[in-house]
Amino acid sequence: MQVATTKVQDMTSGGIRIKALGTRAWAAAVGALWAGSAWVNPAWANPQPGQLNMTKGVTEWSHEPYFLNNVALGVCTVIGVLVFGAMFVAMFRFRKSRGAVAEKWSHNTMLEVVWTTIPVIILIVLAWMSTGGLVSFADTTGSQMTVKVTGYQWKWRYDYVNYQGKAIDGVGFVSKLDEQSNDTRQLGSELDPDAVKVGDENTYLLNVDKPLVVPVDTKIRFVITAGDVIHSWWVPALGWKIDAIPGMVNAAWTNIKVPGTYRGQCAELCGQDHGFMPIVVKALPKAEFAQWLAQQEAAGKAPPATPATPASPTPAPASTAAAPASASTTAAAAATTPGKQG
Amino acid sequence: MAHAATHDHHDAHHGAPSNFFTRWFMSTNHKDIGTLYLIFSLTAFFIGGSFAMVIRAELFKPGMQLVQPYFFNEMTTMHALVMIFGAIMPAFVGLGNWMIPLMIGAPDMALPRMNNLSFWILPFAFVLLLSTLFLPGGAPAGGWTMYPPLSLQSGSLAYAVFAIHLMGISSIMGAINIIATILNMRAPGMDLLKMPVFVWSWLITAFLLIAVMPVLAGAVTMLLTDKYFGTSFFNAAGGGDPVLYQHIFWFFGHPEVYIMILPAFGIISEIVPTFSRKPIFGYKAMVFAIAAIAFLSFIVWAHHMFAVGLPLGAEIFFMYATMLISVPTGIKVFNWVSTMWGGSLTFETPMLFAIAFIILFTIGGFSGLMLALVPADFQYHDTYFVVAHFHYVLVTGAAFAIMAATYYWLPKWTGQMYSEFWGKVHFWCSVIFVNVLFFPQHFLGLAGMPRRIPDYNVAFADFNMISSIGGFLFGASQLIFAGVVIHCAFFSKKKAADRVWEGARGLEWTVPSPAPHHTFELPPVIHDDELAHGHVED
């Protein structure tokens, strides 16, 4: 697999990464066990009203944090029930008002050894589980595509570096908060955040003018940096966030399994409009992505005018969510269908 | 009422000065300075709380209704700085000032004039910090962590840095004083391993303070020179590294969060045995656990930075080290529960707050363990899950412990009983509303809401509204607290006994209530059965 014949010369490595230690197979097995054969309905990958737990995400790796979250939550719940249960029993059994007389003991070696050892064992298990997920996350090798992400106050820039071993020339654009959200969020705008919708989905503050378009079933390497202050690139459905730091380049990867539109936000305080620089990733089937990319490349060769907006013959539904550059109606449909929800 | 044996043959000039200015501004008396610290802390608690009310009001529903985003950021930043450096830390120093000499049988702090100085620096530091709200350009708005390059964009950076320098000097002097007092001024017979756990916790905390406050001072000084003197410590274009700041800051910052919780552990370890009428379970294990937590606090700092792109090896190390903290912390929780087991329990207000502390702090500890797992932290980091986590450990942890301590020792300080009825009203309002306030924030974080944002998608609307309602009511509940304290100090008719609580052990209960202006001018004769831990076998 050819990777990363990157043309970005001003980049340095973000850090030393140990090679995968062979725990990937294990991690994949656990993942398969938990994720089942199918990934979740991608609609649930974006924040839902009343949502109580973390999303499982839609990528090869995103079940790792979900799985760990659930295991850790379960462990904590069990410990909590035992400890608080003992406490409540004590509070009812040993009330002075019920005639309880205080005992004198203040030591029990056996008990102390037990409640030191058992947590250690639980921790070892949790540590072992986490390490597997961490090692697989750290391995950005073998990617089929590279996208450079740059954070600015208060927008994101995406530059397509290479795809399937071929360098990409002149495909890059700035992605910022969509106009409707931006009008609505002004102090005293009197506009209703509930009215900011794409189809059935409320996209207030979670929509952009031009989403990052990527293919599914492709290991994509992101190289992430910033132009002014520190930002953090986070799409919950991808399962991770990583800081965009001026002068540094961080690397991370994803492999999206389900086509759809996935929304996230900047996660590092970056100034007054920190809350207003969302991230939208639109994952297309490979063929449609290839078409989209070809159009972008063609447009990129044209004089550097406005961001490429090829004539879209059909009225694209959900025009704010779908890229203005939607290659075809099928692409637009693919992007919007998962956005539906019950 | 009773006369202190230690107070018999002394002249009138050993009483409190009658001149208000002399007494409160020039005081070298540990009790008066302790009172000043506590009043200062309560004031800061309400100022910082009012900032929180602005935050929760803006977040009440989606859309911007009240403030501009930049002002919102000023509020989050100032809320944290005021609560950490103005409310929580001075409250513990105040409690230490009041109680450590009383608990170890010392006549005063070892360095009384420095004690005066370390307090009186604080009001000036805070006037400086708060004045930025009224200056053109506004207050610091880059978060209390002040990460560069963002913090370098703020026009009020120099004010914040100078205020932090002053607070740091104050903290270091306070810590030196506490260490000198504990190591040198214990009454004969008050061996180190007979000291109350609260004194132990402060001894260890003081060492943490001395170790890390200079590190913070260094970090913010580098910010200052980067901004004004052309250095490039944190500027990659000049050969520096923005992440370096985060390493230095959190090398301070993680011990700092334990500075805010270890004395709380000490307080709970005093209150639970008193109201269980049973010695604390595993005294030595409790002391050792505090020391172990303090040690671990120095080797876990990068768990605040799992998303900056650390090398894999570093992430693994800091994850394991962080998870280890749950072992000594767990021991403490188990020991408190075991202290209650087989006791003879009553539930006065201090005990209610202590029990709420144990449960709710443990919930904060659970989310802390979850945050330690790096792959999961890639999702949790910088979300409301983190906000919920640290408010559980700081509000229902540190602040509840301070309230428990206030109710516990207030009769000793004022000589009068507080209103148990209103104390309980305050407790039940606080414990219910604090959970309405912070528990839903776990869900918001898990669903994907970043922290420090002034507005949000409608998917987060319901839980934010619940959280805001809880916030307003929790804030209002604290007015009851102020009312109870003022009533107890000035209006209560019910005199407090010397040994205020039936099960209380320790030297502080052998002096009259209110504690006379000077106590233990002659070292007390210590009877081991008077001490909470006089017969330590384990």
Side-chain angles (χ1 to χ4, degrees):
Chain A
M1 198 80 43
Q2 298 162 291
V3 237
T5 49
T6 169
K7 292 200 157 184
V8 192
Q9 271 106 15
D10 58 343
M11 288 180 180
T12 53
S13 170
I16 304 153
R17 301 203 181 265
I18 300 173
K19 284 226 167 100
L21 300 173
T23 45
R24 282 184 72 190
W26 170 84
V30 171
L33 195 70
W34 268 74
S37 50
W39 266 261
V40 283
N41 175 357
W44 290 94
N46 293 323
Q48 301 300 310
Q51 183 178 338
L52 296 178
N53 200 3
M54 188 188 285
T55 175
K56 191 192 279 182
V58 292
T59 75
E60 184 186 321
W61 188 83
S62 63
H63 57 80
E64 292 277 0
Y66 177 72
F67 169 71
L68 271 174
N69 168 69
N70 290 350
V71 170
L73 183 62
V75 167
C76 291
T77 308
V78 170
I79 297 172
V81 166
L82 292 175
V83 175
F84 302 153
M87 224 173 131
F88 278 103
V89 169
M91 282 194 275
F92 288 101
R93 252 180 78 183
F94 305 108
R95 291 179 97 92
K96 195 185 177 208
S97 58
R98 293 186 58 200
V101 178
E103 294 162 28
K104 295 286 171 211
W105 50 268
S106 62
H107 189 52
N108 185 327
T109 311
M110 186 60 203
L111 214 50
E112 291 182 82
V113 169
V114 166
W115 69 43
T116 308
T117 319
I118 291 179
V120 169
I121 293 168
I122 294 172
L123 290 182
I124 290 171
V125 174
L126 281 176
W128 178 68
M129 288 175 166
S130 311
T131 306
L134 198 52
V135 169
S136 58
F137 176 78
D139 180 17
T140 57
T141 59
S143 66
Q144 295 136 301
M145 178 175 176
T146 302
V147 178
K148 182 189 172 199
V149 179
T150 315
Y152 295 96
Q153 288 175 315
W154 293 273
K155 51 193 176 283
W156 295 96
R157 182 179 171 86
Y158 302 110
D159 290 288
Y160 291 72
V161 178
N162 62 34
Y163 179 52
Q164 294 186 328
K166 284 203 292 281
I168 301 171
D169 210 15
V171 180
F173 50 85
V174 166
S175 174
K176 61 180 196 309
L177 185 66
D178 69 302
E179 219 168 295
Q180 199 188 356
S181 292
N182 196 36
D183 292 343
T184 307
R185 66 103 175 171
Q186 301 300 327
L187 185 62
S189 73
E190 307 288 330
L191 296 171
D192 182 8
D194 282 305
V196 183
K197 284 190 168 193
V198 174
D200 288 340
E201 187 188 16
N202 184 291
T203 56
Y204 179 56
L205 301 183
L206 290 181
N207 201 7
V208 294
D209 56 351
K210 209 166 181 321
L212 172 68
V213 181
V214 294
V216 296
D217 295 320
T218 305
K219 183 166 182 177
I220 305 164
R221 189 172 74 116
F222 293 98
V223 286
I224 299 178
T225 185
D228 35 45
V229 302
I230 301 174
H231 304 267
S232 191
W233 200 80
W234 181 36
V235 178
L238 306 192
W240 48 264
K241 66 177 67 69
I242 198 157
D243 287 357
I245 302 170
M248 305 275 144
V249 176
N250 275 325
W253 67 275
T254 193
N255 191 343
I256 301 172
K257 292 294 169 191
V258 189
T261 303
Y262 305 112
R263 301 173 191 283
Q265 286 173 270
C266 176
E268 179 65 59
L269 179 61
C270 59
Q272 64 169 7
D273 287 349
H274 162 56
F276 309 106
M277 48 182 291
I279 296 152
V280 179
V281 175
K282 194 175 140 192
L284 295 180
K286 276 183 168 177
E288 286 163 30
F289 174 76
Q291 254 182 312
W292 177 87
L293 188 63
Q295 283 190 332
Q296 295 291 310
E297 282 190 294
K301 298 222 166 62
T306 50
T309 45
S312 167
T314 48
S319 59
T320 43
S326 292
S328 63
T329 40
T330 46
T336 47
T337 317
K340 287 187 186 140
Q341 62 194 58
Chain B
M1 295 228 342
H3 293 277
T6 55
H7 204 236
D8 279 345
H9 30 232
H10 286 289
D11 307 328
H13 73 264
H14 277 159
S18 51
N19 180 304
F20 181 86
F21 183 84
T22 314
R23 173 165 184 186
W24 293 108
F25 289 81
M26 298 168 69
S27 179
T28 55
N29 181 286
H30 74 100
K31 301 184 184 78
D32 284 353
I33 294 173
T35 304
L36 289 172
Y37 266 111
L38 290 169
I39 293 170
F40 178 87
S41 154
L42 191 63
T43 312
F45 182 61
F46 282 105
I47 295 172
S50 67
F51 298 159
M53 293 300 106
V54 174
I55 293 168
R56 282 320 321 171
E58 180 53 64
L59 292 173
F60 187 73
K61 59 179 189 168
M64 301 295 295
Q65 292 90 22
L66 300 172
V67 297
Q68 292 291 356
Y70 191 82
F71 186 74
F72 183 91
N73 291 348
E74 291 176 40
M75 287 291 102
T76 55
T77 305
M78 295 295 276
H79 167 70
L81 289 171
V82 170
M83 285 304 199
I84 291 168
F85 294 105
I88 302 288
M89 290 173 69
F92 283 132
V93 180
L95 292 168
N97 247 296
W98 245 106
M99 300 318 299
I100 288 171
L102 284 181
M103 288 174 134
I104 62 173
D108 205 308
M109 297 294 281
L111 307 157
R113 289 174 195 225
M114 192 163 86
N115 206 11
N116 177 293
L117 181 59
S118 65
F119 172 75
W120 278 108
I121 286 175
L122 272 186
F124 293 96
F126 272 83
V127 167
L128 200 62
L129 183 64
L130 293 170
S131 71
T132 57
L133 280 165
F134 306 100
L135 295 179
W144 82 281
T145 51
M146 295 175 292
Y147 283 2
L150 180 65
S151 61
L152 302 178
Q153 294 179 346
S154 161
S156 53
L157 178 77
Y159 283 82
V161 168
F162 191 41
I164 286 169
H165 281 159
L166 289 175
M167 294 169 203
I169 292 168
S170 163
S171 290
I172 290 169
M173 290 197 295
I176 290 171
N177 214 342
I178 283 171
I179 292 173
T181 305
I182 296 174
L183 294 186
N184 295 313
M185 298 191 59
R186 278 171 289 124
M190 175 59 73
D191 303 341
L192 280 176
L193 279 174
K194 289 180 184 174
M195 292 198 308
V197 182
F198 178 67
V199 178
W200 260 113
S201 70
W202 242 123
L203 180 63
I204 292 165
T205 302
F207 278 105
L208 287 184
L209 274 169
I210 289 180
V212 301
M213 292 313 289
V215 177
L216 174 66
V220 296
T221 305
M222 284 187 264
L223 287 180
L224 197 68
T225 62
D226 266 13
K227 184 167 170 70
Y228 292 108
F229 304 114
T231 57
S232 293
F233 291 110
F234 309 128
N235 174 9
D241 181 353
V243 178
L244 173 66
Y245 173 85
Q246 299 184 24
H247 282 290
I248 301 171
F249 180 87
W250 287 113
F251 187 80
F252 147 80
H254 202 77
E256 167 68 18
V257 305
Y258 291 152
I259 286 165
M260 292 188 284
I261 202 64
L262 296 186
F265 290 165
I267 289 164
I268 302 306
S269 303
E270 301 304 320
I271 291 175
V272 170
T274 293
F275 295 96
S276 302
R277 293 165 181 75
K278 185 165 160 282
I280 193 157
F281 183 93
Y283 170 80
K284 278 189 185 167
M286 290 303 247
V287 172
F288 180 76
I290 294 177
I293 293 169
F295 168 75
L296 288 171
S297 76
F298 285 105
I299 57 166
V300 297
W301 76 88
H303 70 215
H304 298 268
M305 304 163 54
F306 282 148
V308 300
L310 295 174
L312 175 61
E315 299 207 304
I316 290 175
F317 170 80
F318 285 108
M319 172 168 71
Y320 293 175
T322 304
M323 293 171 76
L324 268 183
I325 293 173
S326 55
V327 176
T329 314
I331 288 173
K332 299 197 74 69
V333 173
F334 300 143
N335 283 11
W336 287 321
V337 175
S338 305
T339 304
M340 291 166 67
W341 194 271
S344 174
L345 302 176
T346 52
F347 299 92
E348 289 88 344
T349 311
M351 183 62 163
L352 291 176
F353 272 103
I355 291 169
F357 170 97
I358 296 171
I359 295 175
L360 299 175
F361 172 80
T362 303
I363 290 176
F366 286 150
S367 54
L369 174 64
M370 295 169 77
L371 283 159
L373 309 173
V374 183
D377 185 70
F378 287 152
Q379 290 278 34
Y380 304 138
H381 181 81
D382 259 329
T383 68
Y384 260 84
F385 191 82
V386 178
V387 176
H389 159 72
F390 66 69
H391 282 99
Y392 265 85
V393 293
L394 281 177
V395 179
T396 60
F400 269 31
I402 291 164
M403 289 171 191
T406 305
Y407 285 110
Y408 185 57
W409 285 311
L410 195 56
K412 176 56 67 188
W413 300 336
T414 64
Q416 286 150 181
M417 290 304 288
Y418 62 87
S419 160
E420 193 62 50
F421 172 78
W422 285 105
K424 285 192 167 128
V425 171
H426 171 229
F427 168 76
W428 284 109
C429 288
S430 295
V431 79
I432 291 167
F433 297 137
V434 84
N435 283 292
V436 176
L437 165 57
F438 293 121
F439 208 82
Q441 295 183 359
H442 290 113
F443 304 135
L444 289 172
L446 290 170
M449 180 169 163
R451 61 190 283 206
R452 293 165 163 168
I453 58 173
D455 197 6
Y456 48 81
N457 181 263
V458 296
F460 307 123
D462 295 349
F463 285 130
N464 266 298
M465 187 176 286
I466 293 169
S467 179
S468 286
I469 292 169
F472 301 143
L473 294 173
F474 179 73
S477 307
Q478 302 322 307
L479 299 173
I480 304 174
F481 180 54
V484 174
V485 172
I486 290 167
H487 171 262
C488 177
F490 298 110
F491 304 109
S492 175
K493 297 278 180 284
K494 201 177 161 200
K495 295 290 167 213
D498 293 355
R499 184 176 302 282
V500 177
W501 312 106
E502 184 190 33
R505 290 285 174 275
L507 292 181
E508 76 262 39
W509 308 108
T510 64
V511 302
S513 297
H517 199 59
H518 293 287
T519 40
F520 299 127
E521 285 168 295
L522 296 174
V525 177
I526 292 179
H527 306 286
D528 276 359
D529 50 346
E530 267 298 322
L531 303 179
H533 318 293
H535 299 288
V536 173
E537 301 298 324
D538 46 309

